Amino acid sequence: MNLLFLLCVLCVTFTGLCEGSGVLVDDLLNATVGGKVLFTTKLTPQDPPVTFQTVIWNFNTSRIISFSATVINTTPGYEDRITPFISSGSLELRNLALTDSGEYRVSIITSDLNSQSGSTTLMIYEPVSNVMTTTSSPDLVEFISSVHLSCSSSGTSLSFLWLNGSSEFTASDRVTDEGSKLTIFNVTRYDQGPFSCRVVNPVSNVTSDPVFLSVSFGPENTRLNLSQSQLYYEDGSNVSLTCSAVSRPPAHFQWIGDKLSVSGPELKLLNIKMNQTGNYSCEASNNKTHRSQTSQPVFISVLQRISGASVKSTANPAVEGNSVNLTCEAAGSVFSRQWMINDSDLIQTDTMTLNNEKSVLSFQPLKRTNNGKYSCKITNPINSDKAEYNMVVNYGPGSVQITGPHEINVKHTLTLTCSAESTPSATYTWFLNKTEILSHSAVFTKDVTEFSDGGSYTCTATNYVTGRRSTAEHALSVIVKQPPSCNSGCIAGIVIACCLIVGLCAGGLYFVSRRRKQQNNLSHGDTRTGSTGGGRQNNVASSSNQDEIYEDIDLEQPREAAPQSARLICTSQEEGTMNLLFLLCVLCVIFTGLCEGFGVLVDDLLNAPVEGKVLFTTKLTPQDPPVTINLVLWSLYLSPIISFSAGGNTVTPGYEDRITLFISTGSLELRNLALNESGEYRVTIITSGETHLGSTRLMIYEQVSNVMITTSSPDLVEFISSVYLSCSSSGSSISFLWLNSSSEVTASDRVQLTDRGSNLIIFNVTRYDQGPYSCLVVNPVSNGTSDPVFLSVSFGPENTRLNLSPSQLYYENGSNVSLTCSADSRPPAHFQWIGGELSVSGAELKLLHIKTSQTGNYSCEAYNNKTKRTQTSQPVFISVLQRISGASVKSTTNQAVEGNSVNLTCEAAGSVFSRQWMINGSDLIQTDTMTLNSEKSVLSFQPLKRTNSGKYSCKITNSINSDKAEYNMLVKCSTGGGRQNSVASSSNQDVIYEDIDFLKNQEGGTVQPELEKNSS
């Protein structure tokens, strides 16, 4: 029998049947330990059946079974594990063990001596089981923590595939995949999983239970919402604020606002008050990430309803020529005021002024045309209120005149009517030749006129509200018959005569007075002389631009005039004479009707400071030859100040050393002014040709001084604090103007001006409210500016930034890296570094001789100890790599035999980024029998072919350097053939006979092998 077998083998070999007849279907079969496999031939049962002389199966170089029609020989150890299929020559092998892996060959000799052979490789694997995923730490912080996932499993020839959900999780710059180990650097919120590990070998695959990672992140997108979002809220209303943020775990919330100490996602402001006006924000903090974020502030403005509007006057009654203020006030939050007169918008004139807040309407001076119904409407966004004030301007009496005849026949009825411009109506008193004849009547009637009724009638109009009075005179002649009329020349002669009489009287009085003075001077040994001077008018409050000014001298004459006494000192005995002279002059002017020329003064209104001086300038100019001025009268209201005539000048006591009269123009300088000298000044000037009248108003003010600013608190926090600035000053009739540097500060929704502008309130200060602030105080005669005040407004941190030096994607192990942190903050922020196990503070972090273990995200947290706010920078990822060294390519076998499985492994020390395989100096092109794992570290040949011989090289690279290794592989030849099939076994046979060692014919007889029949 052994001889027969040997002959068959030699015959087959000799005839060259090992060159790929390919009787087996599969080139490679995979099966599990304890399983079974069917080695299937390409032969199929036929009818009538083909008789096999001999079928021989070998495992590697050892026989398994040989059988013919009558004899079956089974190698020990296979007796109960195999089943041959006589009709096709196929073989089933059961109860497989790892040692059953190898090459299986079959030789078949049919009855007609045709020989067929084939080979296949069987790989036995333990099935995958007990797949489990473990994690280094399930509790992670975004951008900071790294996590290691490990997959463990039973089985042989395992491959690992990581899944995130249902998607494959592959290597990247943050992820390293080492097969059974997966590392994720600087996890993000999207790295939470579920992660599972799928373990695969050629015969089975199992997926682990999912693992979830808990990645803490945030807070981010911190937002504040108002339940009722509006610009303004009424005092006493309710406001609800809610805070939200993107955070895991959920953030803790702390509310930020003036004197607030509330935590939680909701803040309820019940029955809110005006003092709660301000910015509100919330700070979200995460106790896992140790980060915090503050929302953008929301400004809540609380207003009181306006009520109790009123308009009040500083003067009751209001008198023309005086100064009057109307003040518009109300309780509540005042935004704006609108003034109207007689239901129309108020149009300001040059005598009206409104302060900055429009709360005070000033009249300087008051005019009769200012009569009317004034209304002030006070408004805020909540409501409005209106107040009215009827102002009646009291004036007069003025323009007093008497109407009636100047001549009347005796025994006729006389009617004289007196009228005056006056509010309220004037009260009239009648005098005849200075004797009172009637009171409280504007009409004087005498039914029967006598000669004694002729003379000078005087009507005195009195206004008891203004306290002023004015007179008019009327001459009446009682005649028997009509006298011839007097022409204009006659009248002029009478006037001149009257003036001459008055002049003579004045001259006589002056002469007597002069003589008395000279006698007194001689008796006391004292001589006083006057000096003349002249000057021209200048339109300023006080002037030194005169030809000559003599201090303490009351009279100035033209240079061409003859010297005369410049000063008259009145004694007590002479006061009656002086007053008489003044009265005669006034009566003369009135009597002659020369009072009809107003406007000789340049200025309607003059302003001057206390203790200062003022020049009342006339429109008259010195002439050549000079115009003779016969009379100059100056008075304050109806009280005389000085009178000058040819006979001398008279000065009212109290003015002796304080005035200078300029004779050439009639102008008057008044010095050492006092507040009580404010009022109306009038002048009457009689020249040789005409009479000039004029009036002006003088306002005396205390000068501005001692301007100073005080502040409630110079140490403030942006969006939270409010500040009160108060300006104080000495002076009268002052106005306030606030300046921020050189720009005017005006009222707005955050800025209020109160108390006539002396107080400045800034709500919820910002960094741009630091100043310098100064207060400009002004009145009509002076101004003063305070020293500047600076506010310290704390803000930030904001724009927290992190910079790397040097800035690059990757750093070599052992190099030095410097990080600096900056932020916009006042005062400067404190910095804390975040990353790994860092506990470093300060604006700079130096990483010296950095290691790969320090790879990760780094960020810095800025903190302001004034605002109590924090902000964390965006993280910067630092990737540290080791240089690649010691590259090698190793094989799983020293003898590469065709048909076996071989793995080439490419390895190196250092940080591996990529591998590139080449063969014989060219890029490797994979065939269907070659596979590369996901990292390209293992090149597998299943099965190995003789064409796979060659010089293999593997280039390993990272961003720092690269290294290369080579391996020469020589594949030894092995016979066999067939077509590869990827299934483990096949049952597609016509007949299977378990544990039967021979085949029978259809009649039940034994079939003898043809080879035995023909043997000798």
Side-chain angles (χ1 to χ4, degrees):
M1 185 65 185
N2 291 334
L3 179 61
L4 177 64
F5 177 75
L6 180 59
L7 288 172
C8 291
V9 171
L10 290 173
C11 179
V12 170
T13 303
F14 182 76
T15 55
L17 296 176
C18 65
E19 295 182 359
S21 58
V23 73
L24 290 177
V25 170
D26 303 298
D27 286 340
L28 176 66
L29 290 171
N30 297 317
T32 62
V33 172
K36 62 182 179 179
V37 66
L38 179 64
F39 299 103
T40 307
T41 69
K42 299 177 182 177
L43 304 178
T44 57
Q46 298 181 12
D47 190 13
V50 175
T51 302
F52 295 149
Q53 291 290 338
T54 303
V55 177
I56 302 171
W57 280 94
N58 289 337
F59 169 52
N60 291 334
T61 58
S62 302
R63 183 182 302 177
I64 300 173
I65 187 174
S66 63
F67 59 88
S68 62
T70 58
V71 179
I72 297 177
N73 293 318
T74 303
T75 301
Y78 290 96
E79 293 89 347
D80 299 326
R81 297 176 54 215
I82 59 174
T83 298
F85 296 92
I86 301 301
S87 61
S88 62
S90 300
L91 180 70
E92 181 183 77
L93 179 60
R94 299 179 296 277
N95 298 325
L96 297 171
L98 287 174
T99 55
D100 291 326
S101 294
E103 185 179 25
Y104 289 79
R105 297 184 181 184
V106 64
S107 296
I108 302 174
I109 300 175
T110 62
S111 57
D112 55 2
L113 296 181
N114 285 326
S115 178
Q116 296 188 58
S117 65
S119 66
T120 187
T121 300
L122 173 63
M123 301 297 296
I124 308 299
Y125 301 92
E126 287 185 3
V128 176
S129 62
N130 302 320
V131 180
M132 186 186 321
T133 300
T134 58
T135 176
S136 58
S137 173
D139 200 4
L140 309 165
V141 176
E142 188 177 38
F143 303 133
I144 294 177
S145 302
S146 298
V147 65
H148 303 278
L149 299 173
S150 296
C151 184
S152 61
S153 172
S154 300
T156 57
S157 298
L158 304 177
S159 297
F160 298 88
L161 178 67
W162 289 95
L163 301 173
N164 184 354
S166 59
S167 302
E168 181 179 355
F169 203 61
T170 57
S172 66
D173 58 346
R174 285 194 312 110
V175 179
T176 60
D177 185 353
E178 300 175 3
S180 63
K181 293 182 180 179
L182 181 71
T183 303
I184 307 174
F185 297 100
N186 311 110
V187 294
T188 72
R189 66 196 67 182
Y190 309 108
D191 296 330
Q192 298 180 91
F195 289 95
S196 57
C197 171
R198 180 175 295 167
V199 183
V200 180
N201 66 10
V203 297
S204 63
N205 70 82
V206 177
T207 302
S208 69
D209 291 335
V211 170
F212 290 86
L213 302 180
S214 175
V215 181
S216 299
F217 57 85
E220 298 174 359
N221 299 326
T222 304
R223 297 180 299 274
L224 195 157
N225 295 312
L226 277 166
S227 58
Q228 296 177 345
S229 182
Q230 53 197 61
L231 288 176
Y232 303 96
Y233 297 86
E234 185 176 351
D235 184 275
S237 59
N238 298 329
V239 182
S240 178
L241 302 91
T242 55
C243 193
S244 63
V246 178
S247 176
R248 179 180 290 120
H252 299 275
F253 298 100
Q254 182 69 38
W255 291 92
I256 301 171
D258 194 20
K259 298 180 181 179
L260 271 182
S261 180
V262 180
S263 59
E266 186 175 16
L267 173 65
K268 289 187 176 181
L269 302 175
L270 304 178
N271 194 24
I272 195 167
K273 302 299 180 185
M274 278 187 62
N275 59 10
Q276 292 176 282
T277 290
N279 271 306
Y280 289 79
S281 58
C282 64
E283 182 184 68
S285 60
N286 186 319
N287 59 4
K288 290 286 188 180
T289 65
H290 301 291
R291 297 173 189 157
S292 61
Q293 187 183 58
T294 303
S295 69
Q296 287 296 316
V298 170
F299 184 74
I300 294 179
S301 181
V302 184
L303 305 179
Q304 269 191 329
R305 293 182 68 84
I306 294 173
S307 61
S310 66
V311 176
K312 298 178 181 178
S313 173
T314 55
N316 193 13
V319 176
E320 184 181 36
N322 292 349
S323 294
V324 175
N325 291 341
L326 296 183
T327 302
C328 178
E329 293 178 338
S333 305
V334 177
F335 267 44
S336 64
R337 295 177 175 87
Q338 181 185 8
W339 286 89
M340 304 183 76
I341 181 171
N342 300 325
D343 299 324
S344 298
D345 288 341
L346 177 67
I347 299 174
Q348 287 181 244
T349 66
D350 55 354
T351 62
M352 295 182 190
T353 58
L354 277 170
N355 68 349
N356 288 338
E357 297 179 348
K358 296 186 178 180
S359 60
V360 179
L361 175 60
S362 300
F363 301 86
Q364 290 183 333
L366 190 64
K367 294 184 177 181
R368 65 190 67 181
T369 55
N370 298 138
N371 265 320
K373 181 180 72 174
Y374 289 81
S375 61
C376 175
K377 184 179 182 180
I378 304 177
T379 305
N380 69 18
I382 304 297
N383 73 320
S384 62
D385 199 5
K386 185 177 180 181
E388 295 181 347
Y389 179 81
N390 282 309
M391 186 162 70
V392 177
V393 180
N394 298 281
Y395 59 89
S399 301
V400 181
Q401 61 180 1
I402 300 173
T403 56
H406 288 280
E407 292 181 351
I408 190 170
N409 286 327
V410 67
K411 303 302 182 180
H412 283 196
T413 299
L414 173 64
T415 300
L416 298 176
T417 303
C418 187
S419 62
E421 296 178 359
S422 176
T423 298
S425 298
T427 299
Y428 301 96
T429 303
W430 290 89
F431 296 86
L432 175 58
N433 299 327
K434 301 183 179 180
T435 301
E436 183 177 341
I437 55 176
L438 181 66
S439 61
H440 305 295
S441 177
V443 179
F444 174 75
T445 303
K446 185 69 180 292
D447 293 332
V448 178
T449 306
E450 303 293 341
F451 286 106
S452 59
D453 294 323
S456 175
Y457 285 83
T458 303
C459 173
T460 300
T462 303
N463 187 325
Y464 290 102
V465 174
T466 65
R468 300 170 187 170
R469 62 180 58 191
S470 184
T471 61
E473 292 195 2
H474 186 83
L476 178 67
S477 299
V478 180
I479 59 175
V480 175
K481 61 180 181 180
Q482 182 71 30
S485 61
C486 184
N487 58 23
S488 59
C490 176
I491 295 173
I494 294 172
V495 170
I496 293 171
C498 181
C499 290
L500 287 175
I501 293 171
V502 172
L504 290 174
C505 292
L509 290 173
Y510 174 75
F511 178 76
V512 171
S513 174
R514 182 74 174 177
R515 294 286 296 176
R516 287 182 180 178
K517 282 185 180 181
Q518 290 175 350
Q519 291 174 1
N520 290 336
N521 291 339
L522 291 174
S523 63
H524 291 86
D526 182 19
T527 304
R528 298 189 181 186
T529 62
S531 177
T532 62
R536 60 181 296 275
Q537 178 179 1
N538 195 316
N539 190 19
V540 293
S542 60
S543 174
S544 58
N545 188 21
Q546 306 292 339
D547 295 335
E548 297 179 31
I549 293 181
Y550 299 87
E551 293 187 1
D552 301 331
I553 295 177
D554 301 319
L555 183 65
E556 182 174 323
Q557 295 181 349
R559 290 176 179 164
E560 297 81 358
Q564 58 178 285
S565 175
R567 189 175 181 186
L568 176 63
I569 303 209
C570 297
T571 64
S572 59
Q573 291 86 355
E574 297 166 340
E575 288 181 1
T577 305
M578 182 186 72
N579 292 335
L580 178 61
L581 175 63
F582 179 77
L583 180 62
L584 286 172
C585 293
V586 172
L587 289 176
C588 177
V589 171
I590 295 173
F591 180 74
T592 55
L594 298 176
C595 60
E596 296 179 359
F598 287 94
V600 72
L601 292 177
V602 171
D603 303 298
D604 289 338
L605 177 66
L606 291 171
N607 299 315
V610 172
E611 298 183 355
K613 63 182 179 180
V614 66
L615 179 64
F616 300 102
T617 307
T618 69
K619 298 176 182 177
L620 305 181
T621 56
Q623 298 181 14
D624 190 14
V627 175
T628 301
I629 294 180
N630 297 320
L631 178 66
V632 179
L633 300 176
W634 278 96
S635 65
L636 171 59
Y637 293 121
L638 296 178
S639 301
I641 299 173
I642 184 172
S643 66
F644 164 79
S645 65
N649 64 83
T650 303
V651 180
T652 300
Y655 291 98
E656 293 91 343
D657 300 325
R658 299 173 52 222
I659 58 174
T660 298
L661 180 65
F662 299 92
I663 299 303
S664 60
T665 61
S667 300
L668 178 71
E669 182 184 78
L670 178 59
R671 300 178 294 276
N672 297 327
L673 298 170
L675 280 174
N676 59 6
E677 291 180 314
S678 294
E680 185 178 14
Y681 286 76
R682 298 176 180 175
V683 63
T684 302
I685 302 174
I686 301 176
T687 65
S688 57
E690 57 185 325
T691 298
H692 306 276
L693 301 178
S695 66
T696 187
R697 187 162 189 81
L698 173 64
M699 300 299 295
I700 312 295
Y701 301 91
E702 288 185 2
Q703 295 194 77
V704 174
S705 61
N706 302 321
V707 182
M708 183 169 28
I709 294 178
T710 56
T711 177
S712 59
S713 172
D715 199 6
L716 309 163
V717 175
E718 188 176 40
F719 303 134
I720 294 177
S721 302
S722 297
V723 66
Y724 298 83
L725 301 173
S726 180
C727 183
S728 60
S729 171
S730 301
S732 58
S733 297
I734 53 180
S735 299
F736 298 88
L737 179 67
W738 287 92
L739 301 173
N740 184 351
S741 188
S742 60
S743 301
E744 181 181 356
V745 179
T746 57
S748 67
D749 56 347
R750 284 197 312 109
V751 178
Q752 287 187 8
L753 295 166
T754 63
D755 196 12
R756 298 182 299 110
S758 64
N759 292 331
L760 172 66
I761 306 172
I762 307 175
F763 297 100
N764 311 110
V765 293
T766 71
R767 67 196 68 181
Y768 309 107
D769 296 329
Q770 297 180 93
Y773 289 92
S774 56
C775 174
L776 175 63
V777 182
V778 179
N779 68 9
V781 298
S782 62
N783 66 79
T785 304
S786 69
D787 291 333
V789 169
F790 290 84
L791 303 179
S792 175
V793 181
S794 300
F795 60 86
E798 297 174 359
N799 300 322
T800 305
R801 302 172 297 277
L802 196 157
N803 294 312
L804 271 170
S805 177
S807 179
Q808 53 197 59
L809 287 175
Y810 303 97
Y811 298 86
E812 185 177 352
N813 186 64
S815 59
N816 298 328
V817 182
S818 178
L819 301 91
T820 56
C821 195
S822 63
D824 298 335
S825 176
R826 179 179 290 118
H830 300 274
F831 298 100
Q832 183 70 38
W833 290 92
I834 302 170
E837 299 177 355
L838 280 177
S839 180
V840 180
S841 60
E844 186 175 16
L845 173 64
K846 289 187 176 181
L847 302 175
L848 304 178
H849 307 295
I850 196 167
K851 305 298 180 185
T852 55
S853 60
Q854 292 176 282
T855 291
N857 270 307
Y858 290 78
S859 59
C860 64
E861 182 181 72
Y863 171 71
N864 186 319
N865 59 3
K866 289 286 188 181
T867 65
K868 309 299 182 187
R869 298 173 188 155
T870 60
Q871 189 182 58
T872 304
S873 70
Q874 287 296 316
V876 170
F877 184 73
I878 295 179
S879 182
V880 184
L881 306 179
Q882 267 191 328
R883 295 181 68 83
I884 295 173
S885 61
S888 66
V889 176
K890 297 179 181 179
S891 173
T892 54
T893 180
N894 292 327
Q895 293 186 352
V897 178
E898 184 180 30
N900 291 350
S901 295
V902 175
N903 292 339
L904 297 183
T905 303
C906 179
E907 294 178 338
S911 305
V912 177
F913 269 32
S914 65
R915 294 176 176 87
Q916 181 184 8
W917 288 88
M918 304 181 76
I919 181 171
N920 300 323
S922 300
D923 288 341
L924 177 68
I925 300 174
Q926 287 181 246
T927 66
D928 55 354
T929 62
M930 295 180 190
T931 58
L932 278 170
N933 66 351
S934 60
E935 296 180 350
K936 297 185 179 181
S937 61
V938 179
L939 175 60
S940 300
F941 300 87
Q942 291 181 336
L944 190 63
K945 294 184 178 181
R946 67 189 70 179
T947 55
N948 297 138
S949 292
K951 183 176 70 174
Y952 289 82
S953 62
C954 175
K955 184 178 181 181
I956 304 177
T957 306
N958 67 17
S959 297
I960 304 297
N961 72 321
S962 64
D963 199 4
K964 185 176 181 181
E966 295 181 347
Y967 180 81
N968 284 308
M969 186 168 68
L970 179 62
V971 180
K972 295 181 179 181
C973 177
S974 176
T975 61
R979 183 179 62 84
Q980 181 179 0
N981 195 310
S982 62
V983 297
S985 61
S986 173
S987 60
N988 188 18
Q989 304 295 331
D990 296 331
V991 182
I992 294 179
Y993 300 89
E994 294 186 1
D995 300 327
I996 296 177
D997 298 327
F998 59 89
L999 295 175
K1000 296 182 178 181
N1001 59 18
Q1002 294 178 353
E1003 291 78 11
T1006 300
V1007 178
Q1008 297 295 327
E1010 187 66 25
L1011 182 59
E1012 183 181 350
K1013 181 186 297 183
N1014 297 326
S1015 64
S1016 57

